[in-house]
Amino acid sequence: MTICALDTSKAFDRVDQYALLRLLMDRKVPKYFINVMSNWFEKGCAYVRWGNAISSTFSISAGVRQGGLLSPLLFAVYMDVLIIKLRDAGFGCKLAQQYFGCLLYADDIVLLAHSLNAIRKMLSICEEFAWEYDMKFNSSKSVAMRIGERYKVKCESLMLDSSVLQFVDSLKYLGVQFVVAKKLACSVENVRVKCYRTFNAIYSRSKGAQSEMVTLQ
């Protein structure tokens, strides 16, 4: 199996607002909600401050607000197009007839495929999606990893946006560290090290209290 972890550059800031409204319409979202969203986007504006100088106000025609309650949901609607494209193309892993070829949480994207050829075609679909929906994948921060009997065998390079993806021995997704092996495996070594470091820091400070109860607490 081949795993690709893709990094998107300023994902929330690059969302095409008009394309997002069109996607909401395709999902049969009520018209009054579309009007509210359209009005909200039209009123988006900003200015640039440089030292003591402030620029004139200009409108913002792309992106969803960082930290907004609706922003993760709106971004999920926007990126769902990519998952549908990959699923309809027939590339990627399946489990019990359910598609798991593309895992996405916010702007963290992982592609799973049984072969290099399949993952290569999935990357091509990602490039088409990025061009069509004005997204950009950061090739320098995107990596690939192989799992299986041939994980040590050197293979042909994978390309994304005309750049070669680096094959790594481990990658982190949503806090879980996956490592190369004959079977899918996780490493907790980094978590263990952080736990020991935190405990030692707290324990060393509690010694100053000269109290067993404080140390125990």
Side-chain angles (χ1 to χ4, degrees):
M1 181 173 68
T2 304
I3 302 175
C4 277
L6 306 184
D7 180 80
T8 49
S9 301
K10 299 180 179 179
F12 278 58
D13 297 332
R14 298 185 66 93
V15 172
D16 187 323
Q17 295 175 351
Y18 297 104
L20 176 60
L21 291 175
R22 177 172 56 82
L23 292 173
L24 292 174
M25 294 178 188
D26 294 340
R27 287 172 172 258
K28 309 298 181 183
V29 173
K31 182 179 179 181
Y32 66 83
F33 182 80
I34 301 292
N35 291 335
V36 170
M37 294 300 302
S38 178
N39 184 264
W40 181 43
F41 288 148
E42 288 176 359
K43 291 182 178 179
C45 59
Y47 62 85
V48 177
R49 181 173 182 175
W50 183 270
N52 296 325
I54 299 178
S55 71
S56 57
T57 303
F58 57 90
S59 61
I60 300 175
S61 58
V64 290
R65 295 182 180 179
Q66 294 280 354
L69 294 177
L70 277 179
S71 296
L73 295 176
L74 295 175
F75 187 75
V77 171
Y78 199 76
M79 296 300 293
D80 194 43
V81 177
L82 174 60
I83 298 178
I84 293 174
K85 286 179 176 290
L86 293 170
R87 183 191 63 193
D88 293 346
F91 301 116
C93 295
K94 290 183 179 180
L95 179 63
Q97 302 304 314
Q98 295 295 320
Y99 184 74
F100 290 93
C102 179
L103 304 180
L104 190 148
Y105 183 83
D107 56 348
D108 293 324
I109 304 173
V110 167
L111 303 181
L112 305 171
H114 65 283
S115 67
L116 279 173
N117 188 47
I119 207 76
R120 190 171 290 110
K121 292 182 178 180
M122 293 174 75
L123 290 173
S124 178
I125 293 174
C126 289
E127 290 178 342
E128 294 175 1
F129 166 80
W131 181 85
E132 184 178 357
Y133 285 86
D134 196 27
M135 298 297 291
K136 183 174 179 59
F137 292 105
N138 190 341
S139 303
S140 61
K141 293 184 178 181
S142 299
V143 296
M145 187 175 74
R146 299 187 71 193
I147 295 175
E149 295 291 337
R150 294 169 54 83
Y151 75 94
K152 291 184 178 180
V153 178
K154 187 176 181 180
C155 57
E156 188 177 351
S157 302
L158 296 174
M159 304 291 293
L160 178 65
D161 197 20
S162 301
S163 299
V164 178
L165 293 186
Q166 180 185 1
F167 279 91
V168 295
D169 294 330
S170 66
L171 62 84
K172 182 183 291 186
Y173 182 67
L174 302 182
V176 180
Q177 192 84 19
F178 296 97
V179 295
V180 294
K182 292 184 178 181
K183 296 182 179 180
L184 186 63
C186 302
S187 173
V188 296
E189 184 61 29
N190 59 326
V191 179
R192 183 185 294 112
V193 170
K194 288 182 180 179
C195 178
Y196 290 159
R197 186 186 300 122
T198 303
F199 172 79
N200 289 330
I202 297 173
Y203 181 64
S204 63
R205 290 180 179 273
S206 69
K207 284 182 178 180
Q210 299 296 327
S211 170
E212 294 183 357
M213 293 303 297
V214 172
T215 302
L216 179 61
Q217 181 65 32

